[in-house]
Every structure is written in C-alpha cells, then in structure tokens.
Amino acid sequence: MSMTIFSTPAMAETCLIDWLEPPRTLSFPTDQQRLTSQSLNQPDSDTFWLTGAVELQQDGLWIRADQAIVDNTQRRVQLFGQVNLQQSDLILQAQSMRHFSTSQQTLADDIRYQFTDTRAHGFAAHIDVQPEQGISYLNQASYTTCALDNPDWTLSGRELELNQNTRRLYVKHARLDFYGVPIFYSPYLDIPLDDRATGLLFPYFGSVDAPHGGGALGVFAQPYYVNLAPNLDTTLTLVAIEQRGLMLDNEWRYLQPRHRGELSVSFLNDQRVSEQGLQFVDRAGQDQTLDARTERWRVSLAGQQTWSRSMRSNLVWHEVSDPDFYNDLPTNFNETSSLRTRDTRLERRAELRYNQGPWRAELNYLGYLPLRNGENNYLEKAPELRLGYSQNLGQWRVSLNTERTEFVRYRGFNDFQREGQVRGLINREQMGERWLVQPRLDYRISESYGFINATVQANQRQYQVINPNPQTAAQSSNLVWQTALRGGLNFERDITLFNQAWQQTLEPEVQYLYVPYVDQSRLPVYDSGRASLDFGNLFQLNRFSGIDRIGDTEQVSVAVTTRFINPAGAPKLDAAVGQIYYLQDRQVTLSGPAIATDPRSDYFMRLRSFFDPFSATSTSQWDEQTLELKQVNNRLEAHWQPRLSVLATHQGFNLDDKARRQQSLGLGSVYQLSQNWQVAGYAQRDLEADRTLQRAGGLRYESCCWASELIIEQAETLDGRYNTTIKYVIEFKGLSNVGNRLADTLRSELDF
C-alpha cells in the first residue's frame, strides 16, 4: 500500500522547528582533511587515539566527538561520547559512530537526526549514510515535523530510506501515532521531500439529501492520486453513497507549456433508481417518479491551448446521463466546494481565436447542457465567426467588426430515458443566421485637464430566419448609424481634512448621442435584451444589450464625479451622480408598439470609499420623479488584519414594484479566535421570499505541524430541496497538505 504525501509547505517563522545543532559552514578544500583534538596517543604505527574536543572536517562533512580512534589501515574513524555530524542535507547526534574516509560511509547507533531542508526530525536505532549513492538507511526509526520535544504526531517505521536522488523517503511497516494513539498503518509509504507521489489521499465524509423528503444519505469518498508524470496526473475517487451504491469519479489533468486541460468522468449504477425510479420535483412543486436507466454518469472536459503566439483555443464541454445528476449526486471532492445544485444549465463552449497585429479573428460555439427545472428556453450560437480590424492613426482610431452567427433556440430536453444522454429540443421557429458589418471611427483629444471624443459607428445587419413567425421576416436587412460626442473636464483643488493636505477633484462629463429611428420590428430577437440601468451604462451607444435592437435616441448624458485623494496620492472616497436627458421619444422596442416618452432617465449614483479597514461600494438607481429607490447593489468589506475579515453584499431589483421586486443579502466572515483556532461562515438569503438560499460554517484548528477542519454546507436546489454537505479534513504537515479549504470556500462562494 502507498499513500499520497505532499511536500511540507513553507512555515511561518514562528513555526520553524529548532535545530538539533546550529548548521555550520561545510565548505573545505576537496583534497584536504583535518582532524584535531586536545590530546593524541599512538598505540601502533597505524592507529591513533584522540581525546577531548575531537573534530573531523572535510568538504561537505563535519563531525565532533569526545573521543576517536583512527585506523589508517582500514581508513576508518570510530567516534565515541557525544557525537555530532553535519552534512548538507542531514544532522546526526549519536553516542558512537563509524566513518570510512574512502567511501564517505557513516554508520551510527541510537541516533537522532534532522533534515536540513524541512527540519523534519526523528530517532533511529541504526543509520547507514552513503553519500556517494545519495542514500541513507535507518532502522526502527521515527519521523515528524512537529517540535523537537513531545511531538503531536509521529510516523514510525521498521525501515526508512532517505533517497536524495529520487527526493523520496520510503517507509516500510509505517505506523502513524497521533498524541500517542495509533491511527494509521501501512506496510509501505512513499513520502516525497519536494514533489507529489502516487497513493491514497485522506478520505472525505459527508451527506447529500434524498428526494421526496428521504432525509440525508451518508457519503464516504476515498480519493487515490496517481502521479503519472511531472505534467500529468489523475485522481480516482471511490464514492460510497447510502442507498445508491458505489460511484467511480476520475479526474485527469495535464499541463504542457502551451496546453492544459482536465477531464472528469463519473459513473454509478444507482440502486435507489433501480428500486424506486428516478425521483424529482417538477416546476409546480409536485413529486414525480420516472422509470429510468440505473446507469448514471457525467463527463466534463475543460482545456486551454496556445497553438502559436497568435492563435489560442478554449474548450468547455459537459455531458450527463440525466438532468438530475448534479441534484442527486455529489462530485468534485478535490475542489473547494461541490455545491453546484443551483445550476439550471451547464455552459458548453468551444473558442478559437487569432490575433495578428491589427487583425483579429474568432470562431466560437456557445451552448448549454439543460438540467432539471432550468431547461425551458436557451440559445446556442452554433457557430459564430468574427473578423475584426483596429488601428490607431495618431488621434484617430479606425476599427471594423464583422460577424456571422447561426442561432438555434432550444426548449425542454429530449427523452433521456431512451437516448441515454440529455440534449435540448430545437425550437425550429426561432432558428436563423445573422450577418453584421460594423465600421467605427473615433477621434480623441486627451489632456491633463480634460478630454473630448467623437464617435461614428454604422451597424449593418442581415437576417435569414428558418420557419419565421408572422411577426418576423424570413429575410431582412437593416442599417443603423450611431454618432456620439463626449467630453469631460478635470478640476482640482487643495483642501485640508483631518489636519492633512488633501486634493479634491471635480470631473463633469457630458455626451451627446444621436441614433435615428429605423424600423426593426420585423427583425428577430436572438441575444438582445434591455441593458441594465446603472452608472456605467450612462454613456453607452445602445440602450439594448446585443445588436438585434439598436435604440433610436437623441439624448444628452450628464454625470459629475468628485474624488478625495490623500497626501500619499491614493483616492480614498469618490461619489458620482448622473442622468440622461432625452430630446425625443424612443420608438424602437424589444417587442410590441410601446414608445418610451419619458423626458429624463432615473438618477444613477455611485459611492466608493477606501478607509482602512473598510472598503465600500454602492451603485443605485432612483426614480426621477419620486426619488424612490428602484435598484441597488451594495458591497462592504472590512479586514482587521489578521484577526477578522467581513464581507456583506446586498442586491435589490425592481424595488418599486411589489410584484417583481427581488432582494438578496449575503454575509460572510472569517475570525481568528486565537493563534490556532479559526472560525468562518457565510449565508445568502432571499429577503423577499424570506428563505435562505445557501449557508455554510466551519471550524479550523491549525498548529505548526498539523491542522483540522470541519465544514458544513447547505444549499437550496431548484426543486426546493436542500443539499447538505459535511466535510471533515485532517492534515499532517509533512505527510499531507490539503490547504485551507475553509477560507477557499468563502473566497469561491462570496468573492472575498
């Protein structure tokens, strides 16, 4: 049996193990050897007996002892008393030692040793050091990365081999004791000193909720890591799931200078589905059961390639046996978090990009794998071809963007029971292709006190629709021009704040935008929607996202920003407010005849502050007439290093409409209880529905030589169930390294 062992991470200075003996400088002339003592006796012509502060020194070796006997016939030195030896990679202490000058071999009994690179140490009944071969053999030995005295854990073995050539420590009949209690045995261990190795990873314990109120099903996962090559490895995980059976999960990873990728495969013969059928909750909240295949599987592939300095590609692909796979079964035990249960679909894309000087080209595919309760409507671009050119000519910039996209809209998914995998059902009425030619010309003058930018852009679109509906033309062509003139000024003044000299700026900005009305009602709508109304979109050329709709307008956008800059030159506070003034009604809509007649837009505000330990950002939209808050996005971070970190996020949409309003709150924190203890947690809550969407909490203990974590996560699935995951991990530094998964979970879930 072998066990995957990772190299010891660099420890903080406070965790460095004391030296058995302070390391010495071992450089010495290679053709010389020095032997000194306080007294010397010579029983015969080939034997010398040295006593008192005996020192033997040669290049790469230093030995000190109370007494020594030198045998010139056998080129051997026997040392007695308190013997200390130092080599570049090893420190030894013993009561007696034998050293052979010719082979540089050293033999010692009842020794204490320490590795100089990691400071790991231990005891041994016997050691045989063979520096010419780069190998040291130890018998009845122990190993630990804890303190010199009373270590928390100890790895003991009948035989240990330290091989500097392979940078490995091999242990036969290994036993791991934790606080004196044996907790693990293996007939053979392979411990890398500075690399990864094949073998078992520490197991995971947890649970996953069953459908129909079936309660929590226990989960046990045992990963096995295989180091195939320095740039290729795989992790094979056996996952035992209560009532369902044994799932096999495999992750392959490769890394090349120009390529990288990961392939994940899972397979399970589901006993619960065999006995009870495939159970799920439909959109109406009703329990449903289907007769389905018991073979459940998933395949995921992600890769990035650099074919040359100019050409790159990217691939992300998913396949699954049934749309409930991710709701029912846990995966990705080696990732930070396995909570993927709120996904309504998994993105699938293939991208090929070419850039050469001012030219760029792209060939893209964008689609989705539909999952349960999220499969009703989604769009694929299959494929999308882009060709572009851009060039700066002094203060002028000329650019051209062309696109050809084929669209396929899907609804629902196929009968996965018969076809063995999930695919979307094509809505043939909304299939078609779109051509775009988009030339643009910009002229910009920029100075320290302000700037001015003029833009002219044309949008030529051509559509061909398969099976068009009565509102959509089978073929159509459309040209829309956009012209904009934008400018801003920068005023500065010196002020005194907090008895310090600060600088305040005032930055007004104005844009005039004119887009003539062109009838677009017969054009299909593929990837366009109403652009989010926030401060960053005040100066956009189009009030719609995508290019199927280009909004007509004659408008003036106005914004003013003020910043406060401290004496060190860092902006600590800024505030901005803006609004759009419409000079004519807007007739282009996504659908229907409604015309926008409002003379002014809502107010948009942005506030940001960076006063340690706090940083806060808020963007909001306020009704132009009633000043009622309509949308808001708030984020607050605080870091009282190294003790406490807190993150709070708040989002609100359609707050002025009780029927459509949405509001959520996220809160997470990491608190260092003491030097060894850390607690963390996060929660995301739907304030309008008054329910918790996701929450987790964890406790971590970390000492200088081992760490332990308990993490409990719970997330609501789309069918109303809650999946609960319990993770417990213990790490023996120098034997295993799983990292701080508690903090990693917070970073991934809340973007800490």
Side-chain angles (χ1 to χ4, degrees), residues 295-502:
E295 296 83 6
R296 307 183 71 181
W297 53 266
R298 62 108 184 195
V299 178
S300 298
L301 174 64
Q304 297 177 346
Q305 301 80 31
T306 301
W307 303 103
S308 68
R309 296 181 60 182
S310 303
M311 184 175 294
R312 301 171 182 269
S313 64
N314 185 33
L315 177 65
V316 176
W317 201 264
H318 303 277
E319 295 289 353
V320 71
S321 61
D322 61 83
D324 296 282
F325 185 93
Y326 286 104
N327 268 348
D328 292 344
L329 304 173
T331 59
N332 303 323
F333 283 92
N334 297 311
E335 295 181 1
T336 299
S337 176
S338 59
L339 292 178
R340 303 175 60 182
T341 53
R342 292 194 59 80
D343 289 334
T344 63
R345 57 192 182 186
L346 298 178
E347 186 179 78
R348 299 195 287 201
R349 65 179 185 272
E351 302 166 340
L352 180 63
R353 299 181 179 181
Y354 177 83
N355 290 276
Q356 183 66 47
W359 292 95
R360 69 182 187 279
E362 296 182 20
L363 179 61
N364 302 322
Y365 166 85
L366 175 62
Y368 299 92
L369 174 67
L371 301 179
R372 179 74 66 188
N373 293 331
E375 76 286 353
N376 62 328
N377 186 11
Y378 64 96
L379 187 71
E380 285 191 355
K381 297 180 180 181
E384 177 183 61
L385 176 63
R386 293 182 177 182
L387 180 63
Y389 174 88
S390 61
Q391 184 70 51
N392 290 325
L393 303 171
Q395 294 174 315
W396 295 89
R397 180 176 180 82
V398 179
S399 59
L400 174 66
N401 178 47
T402 62
E403 295 181 13
R404 187 269 181 189
T405 308
E406 183 174 337
F407 295 97
V408 180
R409 189 172 294 278
Y410 288 84
R411 52 182 174 81
F413 44 67
N414 67 315
D415 188 352
F416 64 89
Q417 297 172 264
R418 289 199 302 265
E419 300 192 25
Q421 69 184 70
V422 178
R423 292 184 293 104
L425 291 176
I426 297 177
N427 185 344
R428 298 191 177 277
E429 294 182 357
Q430 300 190 37
M431 295 177 60
E433 64 181 49
R434 179 184 69 197
W435 292 83
L436 170 69
V437 178
Q438 194 176 58
R440 175 168 173 160
L441 181 64
D442 288 273
Y443 180 78
R444 184 177 179 89
I445 300 175
S446 182
E447 301 290 345
S448 60
Y449 53 81
F451 74 94
I452 187 169
N453 191 90
T455 301
V456 177
Q457 179 172 289
N459 303 274
Q460 175 65 51
R461 297 160 296 170
Q462 184 170 336
Y463 294 85
Q464 184 169 352
V465 181
I466 300 175
N467 297 325
N469 58 41
Q471 290 77 34
T472 303
Q475 292 185 347
S476 55
S477 180
N478 193 280
L479 174 64
V480 179
W481 287 86
Q482 296 168 300
T483 57
L485 182 63
R486 181 178 179 181
L489 295 173
N490 186 15
F491 300 96
E492 299 177 355
R493 69 166 182 168
D494 296 327
I495 61 173
T496 301
L497 292 175
F498 313 113
N499 296 322
Q500 290 183 322
W502 287 58

Side-chain angles (χ1 to χ4, degrees), residues 44-80:
D44 55 58
S45 59
D46 294 320
T47 306
F48 299 90
W49 187 5
L50 296 87
T51 59
V54 179
E55 282 196 19
L56 170 64
Q57 188 172 3
Q58 62 187 48
D59 188 43
L61 175 68
W62 174 84
I63 302 177
R64 184 182 63 190
D66 295 334
Q67 301 180 51
I69 298 176
V70 180
D71 188 338
N72 282 336
T73 303
Q74 300 185 20
R75 304 290 294 172
R76 179 183 66 185
V77 179
Q78 298 185 67
L79 303 111
F80 307 95

Side-chain angles (χ1 to χ4, degrees), residues 37 66 291 645:
S37 68
D66 295 334
D291 292 331
S645 295

